[in-house]
């Protein structure tokens, strides 16, 4: 992996659960897809849960290679949620305080950590994706690129990260 430059902790709001991520994310994005917003609204209804959906209607993530992620504390509190029983995406919540922690596309090589779980110094959003599904009437600023779907740059970064991993797909377990 080379020399580690940064170790970041993604903590739940009560501190009982922590996920370590190493170095910079593959990318940082705000997603406006209906699935992310439906899940976010459901999570926010839980007692004491933090906000998941931003004021602009999007959900912020930092995408990390799975080989650079480790559950270091509170794995016993992690519980997966799927929008449907057939979903290949599991969203994982720390039940100790109802904090959404990450999203795992189980067939992929990356893990999407909710950006709000990470410290301030982690990379700010670089793009907005799935903006064609954003809430009606929402106008987005042009401070970062806005894409109606997943742009080629999104897939290129994921592919380059996968190649750097030797095309492996580690499992995230707790």
């Amino acid at each position: 992996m080379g020399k580690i430059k940064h170790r970041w902790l993604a903590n739940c709001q009560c501190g009982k659960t922590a996920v370590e991520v190493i170095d910079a994310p593959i990318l940082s994005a705000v997603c406006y897809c209906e699935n992310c917003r439906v899940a976010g609204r459901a999570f926010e209804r839980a007692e004491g849960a933090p906000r998941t959906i931003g004021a602009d209607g999007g959900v912020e993530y930092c995408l990390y290679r799975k080989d650079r992620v480790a559950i270091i504390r509170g794995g016993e509190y992690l519980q997966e949620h799927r929008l449907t029983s057939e979903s290949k995406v599991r969203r994982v919540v720390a039940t100790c305080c109802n904090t959404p922690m990450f999203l795992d596309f189980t067939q992929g090589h990356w893990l999407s950590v909710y950006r709000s779980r990470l410290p301030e110094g982690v990379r700010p959003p670089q793009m907005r994706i799935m903006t064609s599904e954003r809430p009606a009437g929402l106008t987005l600023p042009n401070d970062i690129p806005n894409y109606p779907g997943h742009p080629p740059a999104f897939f290129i970064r994921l592919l380059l990260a996968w190649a750097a991993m030797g095309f492996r797909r580690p499992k995230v377990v707790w």
Side-chain angles (χ1 to χ4, degrees):
M1 178 170 23
K3 186 176 178 195
I4 296 172
K5 295 179 184 128
H6 297 287
R7 289 183 186 273
W8 307 98
L9 286 183
N11 291 293
C12 70
Q13 60 184 355
C14 75
K16 290 181 181 175
T17 304
V19 177
E20 181 183 61
V21 294
I22 298 173
D23 288 335
I26 299 167
L27 65 98
S28 182
V30 185
C31 184
Y32 295 85
C33 80
E34 184 65 20
N35 287 342
C36 285
R37 292 184 297 113
V38 163
R41 285 190 297 272
F43 295 150
E44 288 175 351
R45 285 193 292 271
E47 183 179 339
R51 284 195 61 131
T52 303
I53 302 173
D56 67 352
V59 179
E60 291 187 22
Y61 297 104
C62 288
L63 284 65
Y64 285 91
R65 293 170 33 170
K66 286 183 180 176
D67 65 348
R68 293 188 175 182
V69 175
I71 311 303
I72 62 166
R73 184 173 62 244
E76 68 272 20
Y77 298 112
L78 295 177
Q79 183 177 51
E80 70 176 56
H81 296 269
R82 296 180 192 246
L83 292 179
T84 67
S85 59
E86 301 83 33
S87 179
K88 291 176 175 56
V89 175
R90 62 181 182 165
R91 289 169 174 85
V92 178
V93 174
T95 60
C96 48
C97 56
N98 294 319
T99 302
M101 297 295 291
F102 58 85
L103 180 149
D104 178 16
F105 174 58
T106 56
Q107 294 181 326
H109 60 279
W110 72 94
L111 190 85
S112 302
V113 177
Y114 287 94
R115 191 167 175 277
S116 60
R117 306 301 0 124
L118 293 160
E120 285 289 318
V122 176
R123 182 178 288 157
Q126 299 164 284
M127 63 179 71
R128 293 182 185 92
I129 59 173
M130 303 302 295
T131 60
S132 64
E133 296 183 28
R134 72 185 181 275
L138 178 67
T139 302
L140 298 172
N142 289 320
D143 53 342
I144 58 175
N146 297 308
Y147 298 104
H150 290 95
F154 181 90
F155 292 110
I156 289 168
R157 288 182 190 193
L158 287 176
L159 182 61
L160 291 172
W162 194 26
M165 294 171 63
F167 297 103
R168 293 177 299 112
R169 290 186 177 128
K171 302 289 182 211
V172 176
V173 294
W174 57 87

